[in-house]
Amino acid sequence: EITEECREAFAAICHFLLECAMLPVYLSKEETENLYSSVFQELGADNDSCFPVWLKSLMTLCCCVNDCYIQNVSISTLLELVSHSQSLSLVIEDRMKRYKNVGSNPFLGKLQMITVPPISPGILKLTAEKTDIYQRLANVLWNQLNKERRE
């Protein structure tokens, strides 16, 4: 049995993870270019090792814990991170295209404030195409609704 203190601690950790994922960093032009290229690099053949351990753990908690509160906090955190990562990836991709078309970066030689996607576009694509996590999340939530109706 998971205690209420453990539930509260877990929720606080997930909230902290979300807050940290949204903090910007200051990068030079070279660091920004390196970030942009690394964010969009293709994944290797060993896809399983590409998934960060924290992401695997969060996905596991979403599906394999019997505590509805822990599951709901995990699901909410995961979906928030996915959404945030998708948005940031689109912004980065747009910036890359604009600077390539113009041929110069207006921020040349200046520090830029960048928010890094917590989940890379390659991992997002791999998750959507090669896993059934979204179907599993839907099943977990649907089962919780059915359970509540029966009670």
Side-chain angles (χ1 to χ4, degrees):
E1 182 67 26
I2 298 174
T3 65
E4 192 59 33
E5 290 82 16
C6 287
R7 286 186 185 101
E8 289 174 15
F10 182 74
I13 289 168
C14 286
H15 181 74
F16 183 69
L17 175 62
L18 289 171
E19 291 292 320
C20 289
M22 295 179 192
L23 288 174
V25 294
Y26 289 96
L27 300 175
S28 69
K29 176 189 181 278
E30 295 80 21
E31 291 170 325
T32 302
E33 288 174 356
N34 290 339
L35 170 70
Y36 287 178
S37 63
S38 69
V39 163
F40 288 98
Q41 76 184 26
E42 292 295 318
L43 298 176
D46 185 14
N47 293 333
D48 192 46
S49 67
C50 296
F51 277 82
V53 174
W54 67 266
L55 183 57
K56 286 183 196 177
S57 301
L58 188 59
M59 292 167 95
T60 302
L61 286 170
C62 289
C63 303
C64 300
V65 173
N66 290 329
D67 187 287
C68 287
Y69 182 81
I70 297 293
Q71 268 189 327
N72 289 337
V73 169
S74 301
I75 290 170
S76 173
T77 302
L78 178 63
L79 294 178
E80 189 74 30
L81 288 168
V82 166
S83 175
H84 185 64
S85 297
Q86 289 171 332
S87 297
L88 287 173
S89 296
L90 290 173
V91 169
I92 290 172
E93 193 172 32
D94 180 60
R95 273 189 180 177
M96 286 173 58
K97 286 178 185 174
R98 275 190 285 141
Y99 297 150
K100 280 184 182 176
N101 290 341
V102 173
S104 68
N105 184 336
F107 301 107
L108 184 63
K110 299 178 183 175
L111 286 179
Q112 297 183 58
M113 189 168 65
I114 306 288
T115 305
V116 181
I119 306 170
S120 73
I123 296 292
L124 290 172
K125 183 178 179 183
L126 189 65
T127 302
E129 294 176 358
K130 303 288 184 187
T131 73
D132 62 351
I133 187 66
Y134 298 114
Q135 292 82 7
R136 288 178 183 259
L137 297 181
N139 286 336
V140 166
L141 294 172
W142 191 252
N143 289 338
Q144 286 181 10
L145 283 175
N146 286 337
K147 183 179 175 183
E148 288 176 15
R149 285 186 185 154
R150 281 184 257 130
E151 289 176 354

